[in-house]
Amino acid sequence: MILRKYKSSDCPHLAKLFYETVHAVNAKDYTQEQLHAWANGHINLAQWDASFLDHYTVVAVSDTAYIGFGDIDQTGYLDRLYVHKDYQRQGIAAAICQELEHAVSGSITVHASITAKAFFTSQGYRTMKKQQIICHGVALTNYIMKKCRSLEVHPSSLTPEKHATPQDTLRAPN
């Protein structure tokens, strides 16, 4: 697996990975109605691309397959973290999460799904609040979680304006 910076051509692949992951991995914790409200297959790719470019976004690839992605904004809000359904429990989410955490200083906040709560707890996040959000008219439970840490910024962090090149490969975790 290789972690690299996001580029705009990744967007449709990440949208597909998002949809498939939500509907496969989160099915044990959410109803079909909730899954469809969360990931209905109709993502505005231009908005997602703009968001990915504005945030620090990394993509995990294996050979030519997309196996995960995540993004964090400059305030420390970890917006998205998804790993392909066939690559769960292989350390990919942890590698993505650690890379995102190194990109910002201060504490990090995430709105974790029921499914992801245990993962974020294992990464040192504390549950601040359980909440119900409304997504396309359907109530979904998630958790506001926070990780407090030092104010260091990882030196490999790149500005979001820079597009990925082969030199932008972040690292290849074991």
Side-chain angles (χ1 to χ4, degrees), residues 32-94:
Q32 285 300 311
E33 179 186 31
Q34 290 171 319
L35 296 172
H36 185 71
W38 181 356
N40 64 17
H42 302 291
I43 290 174
N44 182 324
L45 294 179
Q47 285 180 348
W48 261 40
D49 182 48
S51 175
F52 285 142
L53 292 171
D54 187 47
H55 296 172
Y56 181 71
T57 305
V58 295
V59 178
V61 294
S62 177
D63 298 322
T64 59
Y66 287 85
I67 60 175
F69 70 95
D71 65 306
I72 192 167
D73 72 15
Q74 294 176 357
T75 70
Y77 176 66
L78 199 160
D79 193 2
R80 290 164 283 219
L81 177 55
Y82 293 92
V83 174
H84 189 282
K85 63 184 178 64
D86 296 335
Y87 293 85
Q88 297 284 308
R89 302 195 181 281
Q90 297 180 28
I92 297 163

Side-chain angles (χ1 to χ4, degrees), residues 76-146:
Y77 176 66
L78 199 160
D79 193 2
R80 290 164 283 219
L81 177 55
Y82 293 92
V83 174
H84 189 282
K85 63 184 178 64
D86 296 335
Y87 293 85
Q88 297 284 308
R89 302 195 181 281
Q90 297 180 28
I92 297 163
I96 293 169
C97 188
Q98 289 169 11
E99 183 62 37
L100 296 174
E101 289 173 356
H102 287 303
V104 297
S105 61
S107 63
I108 298 172
T109 303
V110 64
H111 291 192
S113 68
I114 296 168
T115 314
K117 183 177 184 264
F119 165 76
F120 283 108
T121 299
S122 76
Q123 299 300 302
Y125 288 75
R126 290 186 15 241
T127 301
M128 306 307 288
K129 177 182 170 185
K130 180 178 180 179
Q131 65 179 2
Q132 293 280 315
I133 61 163
I134 303 300
C135 182
H136 300 289
V138 179
L140 301 171
T141 298
N142 72 12
Y143 299 87
I144 299 173
M145 301 183 77
K146 189 172 189 173

